[in-house]
Amino acid sequence: MNIRRFHHGEEPKLFNIFHSAIHLIASRDYTNEQVHAWAPSSVDADLWARRMRGIKPFVAELDGELVGYADVQGDGYIDHFFVSGHHPQQGIGRALMEALEAEAARLGLQELTSDVSVTAQPFFEHFGFLVVQHQRPVIDGVEMLNARMRKLLRAGF
């Protein structure tokens, strides 16, 4: 597996990862209505591309196929963290989290935060994140449930 920075032009592949993660994995914890509000079958391609270019994610590549992506922003916020629903339990999430932690160290960050789905909370807890607060964001008129999670980083991480 190779972890590297995203390249322009890979935006549609990242959307496929996002969509499959929610429809095949997160759907265990969310209703059909919530899943479709969160990850509709189509998206404005230009808006999605701008979003991906803005967050500049790392991608996980396995046998030449993109199978996951995640980002960490300069303030330590993890905006997107998704592994393809077709490739669960293969160490992809672990490799991406290790890349984010290395980037956090490079940036000298004191903490990482993220708004984490019910599905992903155990994974984030495994990496030392704690729930700060439970939240009920509304997406396209549909109430969801997630949690703001935080991990304090050691000085000189």
Side-chain angles (χ1 to χ4, degrees):
M1 182 178 340
N2 181 38
I3 304 296
R4 62 170 173 77
R5 284 293 188 174
F6 141 88
H7 298 144
H8 286 231
E10 293 177 327
E11 298 88 347
K13 292 177 183 175
L14 299 188
F15 179 76
N16 290 338
I17 292 167
F18 166 80
H19 190 271
S20 71
I22 295 165
H23 283 263
L24 299 177
I25 305 297
S27 60
R28 293 179 291 195
D29 298 307
Y30 291 91
T31 67
N32 196 40
E33 181 184 32
Q34 290 169 323
V35 166
H36 288 283
W38 185 8
S41 58
S42 65
V43 68
D44 180 318
D46 290 334
L47 183 62
W48 179 264
R50 283 194 300 275
R51 177 69 181 249
M52 292 303 101
R53 291 173 188 159
I55 66 172
K56 301 176 184 131
F58 289 92
V59 298
E61 192 174 32
L62 184 62
D63 299 326
E65 179 184 0
L66 295 188
V67 293
Y69 74 99
D71 73 282
V72 62
Q73 300 305 303
D75 62 358
Y77 184 70
I78 298 169
D79 191 9
H80 279 221
F81 195 113
F82 294 98
V83 172
S84 168
H86 301 287
H87 297 85
Q89 304 293 317
Q90 296 183 26
I92 297 162
R94 172 178 294 282
L96 285 167
M97 185 63 79
E98 289 170 356
L100 297 188
E101 289 181 346
E103 180 70 0
R106 188 186 73 73
L107 295 171
L109 298 175
Q110 299 297 311
E111 70 177 16
L112 294 173
T113 60
S114 190
D115 295 314
V116 179
S117 71
V118 171
T119 309
Q121 284 176 33
F123 173 83
F124 275 74
E125 287 170 348
H126 177 78
F127 285 93
F129 285 76
L130 299 173
V131 173
V132 175
Q133 76 179 49
H134 292 281
Q135 307 174 123
R136 293 190 175 276
V138 176
I139 301 173
D140 200 21
V142 179
E143 186 176 83
M144 309 289 283
L145 179 62
N146 71 15
R148 171 60 57 109
M149 297 186 79
R150 179 175 67 184
K151 177 179 182 174
L152 297 177
L153 303 175
R154 293 176 276 144
F157 177 11

